[in-house]
Amino acid sequence: MRGILLTLLFTLAGAGFTPDYAQNKAPVEMIEEDRAFWNDLLAEGSIKNKNLFYAGYVAYREKLTDLSMESFRECAAINDSNEIAKGVSFYYIGKNYFRKGDYPAAIENFLSVLQYDLAKFNDLKFAAEINIAVSFHRSGNIEKFREHLQKVIAESPNSRYGKAALVLLNAQ
C-alpha cells in the first residue's frame, strides 16, 4: 500500500501537483490551479473585463483575501450571463473564505460552482469537490470529507483530480 501511495505522489508531482503533506506540511490542503489554467482561462473570449478577473486572482495569490473576493464578486456581476466567469469567481471566493478559516462559507461557494456549465473548464468542478472535502476536514467532518473525495474518484478516477482525491483519502 505504501508503494502505491508513493507512486501516486510521484505521478502527481510529475503532473504539477505536489500536496503539501508530501513536503511535511499540514496534511490536508486545497488544490491549486497552475499557470496553464489561467492562461487558458484568460484566452476565453466570452469573459468581460479580464483585467479585473485576473486582478482578483493576483490578489488571491498575494493573500489579499478581501480585495480578491471583492474583485471576483464584481466579475460575477459584470459577467452575469457567463457561467464560466461566474463559476470561477465563486470558486475563488470559496478559496478566499477557506484562507480566512470560514469553512461553511467556503463550502457554500464551492458548492455553487457545481451548478454552472464551465465548458472546457468543467474539471474545475472536481477541484471544487476536493476543496469542499478539505473544508469539511478542517471543520472536523471526516465523513463528509470522505464522501466528497469518493465522488471525485468515482466520477473521474484517472484524472489529475481523481488521483489527488485518492491520495488524500488514503492519507487519512
Side-chain angles (χ1 to χ4, degrees):
M1 180 67 175
R2 182 179 173 159
I4 293 171
L5 195 55
L6 287 174
T7 302
L8 278 172
L9 284 173
F10 287 117
T11 301
L12 292 172
F17 175 74
T18 306
D20 285 337
Y21 57 83
Q23 301 170 2
N24 296 324
K25 293 183 183 176
V28 180
E29 292 294 332
M30 285 189 301
I31 201 154
E32 295 291 341
E33 296 63 52
D34 58 14
R35 186 179 222 47
F37 169 80
W38 273 93
N39 288 341
D40 289 346
L41 188 61
L42 292 173
E44 175 61 37
S46 65
I47 298 173
K48 296 176 189 170
N49 202 342
K50 289 181 191 175
N51 289 337
L52 181 61
F53 198 63
Y54 189 65
Y57 168 67
V58 170
Y60 167 78
R61 197 177 64 208
E62 297 298 320
K63 297 182 172 115
L64 302 169
T65 55
D66 292 333
L67 178 60
S68 179
M69 288 194 304
E70 182 181 321
S71 298
F72 280 117
R73 282 188 186 111
E74 190 172 336
C75 285
I78 291 169
N79 289 280
D80 188 48
S81 62
N82 186 316
E83 294 199 17
I84 295 170
K86 288 180 76 168
V88 172
S89 292
F90 287 116
Y91 178 76
Y92 274 91
I93 292 168
K95 290 177 84 155
N96 279 292
Y97 274 120
F98 181 93
R99 278 191 170 165
K100 290 178 114 176
D102 188 343
Y103 305 119
I107 291 166
E108 179 182 327
N109 280 277
F110 291 139
L111 283 170
S112 71
V113 173
L114 305 179
Q115 71 182 332
Y116 295 106
D117 177 5
L118 302 178
K120 67 181 181 180
F121 303 102
N122 248 4
D123 279 358
L124 192 65
K125 290 180 181 183
F126 295 125
E129 284 282 359
I130 290 171
N131 290 339
I132 291 166
V134 172
S135 297
F136 275 121
H137 187 276
R138 291 285 179 96
S139 300
N141 190 335
I142 303 305
E143 183 179 322
K144 287 283 190 182
F145 165 76
R146 289 187 176 127
E147 177 184 316
H148 285 275
L149 291 178
Q150 288 168 342
K151 182 177 178 183
V152 174
I153 294 165
E155 291 180 15
S156 188
N158 297 317
S159 75
R160 167 188 181 219
Y161 298 109
K163 291 173 183 176
L166 183 61
V167 169
L168 286 172
L169 188 62
N170 287 332
Q172 294 302 306

